[in-house]
Amino acid sequence: MRELMEWVGIPAAEQAAVLASPPDEHQLAAAVAELRRDLGTLDSRTDWPAGSGTLPLYAYLTILPEVLAWHAARGVPREVSHATMRQLGSRVRGGEIVRPYWFARHFHGSLYRLGRLQFDRTARHGEPILDIHIPGDGPLKPEACDTSLAAARPFFARHFPAEEYKRAFCTSWLLDPQLADYLPEDSNILRFQRRFTPETVVSQADDDVITFVFDLPPGADLPRRTRLERAIADHLATGNHWHHVTGWRSL
């Protein structure tokens, strides 16, 4: 367990909390069996009930070697596997995963990190498409996004040749056009927005924005250290809301 936790980047202090609270063995066996069953499938879900504790983390780490072997059998480079799985380590708090359901994508073999962006194999109305996700671990520099987007189609053509991806979609609060009211025209976020053709407003995103930008629970006092933090906090303070918006682009 320690070796696996090190590999996905779980801090030492969190490792101690994980090892101090092992889950029920029967529940763990059932969870691992479900992950094993869904490995390689598209659009499958792993729902973790509230209060699951360390069970999701133990299940993910238990099956990690099998997922890496599945990657290797398809020729996925080890460095891509490592970059993909290290997001898990960044989302462990108090020995538990924040929003553990998100990582089912990683362990079903559908999501891969290629440089700055993540790409998730899925389908829409029968068309294979890639869902783009933006890890919150750095600026959205245009050149880094260019490199990731350029890598996506050849990566999936090489490692998943039965699937042809011509378009990518992104659903994120980062595509909310209200950000243009607060950020300069040349900001990385607005430049990222312009890569996509907006399609629809999906849902309110206030809680997600607070979680991913500030790493705080909903309702907490929000700092205003950066231009983006000030924009988010000021917008919410006036009773307005942020929204997830879906946009698409050709690959």
Side-chain angles (χ1 to χ4, degrees):
M1 282 290 290
R2 284 194 181 278
E3 183 179 346
L4 292 169
M5 288 192 288
E6 288 284 347
W7 199 80
V8 299
I10 297 176
E14 295 290 354
Q15 292 182 28
V18 173
L19 294 173
S21 301
D24 175 83
E25 291 184 10
H26 296 291
Q27 291 182 326
L28 177 59
V32 171
E34 182 178 344
L35 289 171
R36 183 177 293 121
R37 180 198 68 202
D38 291 337
L39 180 57
T41 61
L42 294 183
D43 297 327
S44 56
R45 293 175 56 90
T46 299
D47 293 318
W48 301 100
S52 294
T54 61
L55 174 62
L57 182 54
Y58 269 77
Y60 287 142
L61 291 175
T62 298
I63 203 169
L64 175 59
E66 295 179 46
V67 178
L68 295 178
W70 192 88
H71 283 188
R74 281 147 188 80
V76 174
R78 186 74 166 185
E79 59 269 23
V80 172
S81 299
H82 197 202
T84 300
M85 295 303 182
R86 282 187 69 83
Q87 187 183 27
L88 179 63
S90 70
R91 302 307 297 165
V92 176
R93 302 286 186 277
E96 301 178 11
I97 307 173
V98 178
R99 302 190 179 192
Y101 64 84
W102 160 249
F103 290 95
R105 295 172 167 90
H106 302 60
F107 289 86
H108 292 164
S110 66
L111 183 145
Y112 298 86
R113 181 163 185 170
L114 305 177
R116 182 63 187 89
L117 304 173
Q118 296 168 321
F119 299 87
D120 188 7
R121 300 162 48 233
T122 185
R124 184 177 291 229
H125 306 301
E127 175 194 359
I129 63 106
L130 295 175
D131 265 339
I132 295 176
H133 303 282
I134 308 103
D137 56 8
L140 272 176
K141 292 184 178 180
E143 57 272 21
C145 293
D146 286 341
T147 300
S148 289
L149 289 165
R153 193 169 183 183
F155 174 87
F156 289 98
R158 183 178 309 114
H159 304 297
F160 299 92
E163 304 162 4
E164 184 178 8
Y165 295 99
K166 296 181 179 179
R167 292 197 297 165
F169 283 75
C170 181
T171 299
S172 174
W173 63 270
L174 289 170
L175 299 188
D176 190 329
Q178 296 178 106
L179 286 164
D181 296 335
Y182 299 93
L183 302 178
E185 183 73 12
D186 62 349
S187 73
N188 288 342
I189 289 176
L190 296 187
R191 293 172 75 175
F192 183 79
Q193 281 189 3
R194 291 193 287 270
R195 297 174 183 274
F196 297 89
T197 300
E199 186 178 69
T200 184
V201 175
V202 178
S203 61
Q204 190 183 118
D206 295 348
D207 289 352
D208 280 351
V209 172
I210 293 171
T211 297
F212 290 111
V213 174
F214 300 96
D215 199 14
L216 292 170
D221 291 332
L222 303 181
R224 289 170 164 81
R225 297 163 297 194
T226 66
R227 178 184 285 133
L228 179 60
E229 289 182 349
R230 290 191 294 274
I232 291 168
D234 291 346
H235 189 75
L236 295 173
T238 56
N240 293 307
H241 300 284
W242 297 107
H243 298 90
H244 291 298
V245 175
T246 294
W248 70 273
R249 60 167 288 133
S250 170
L251 289 173

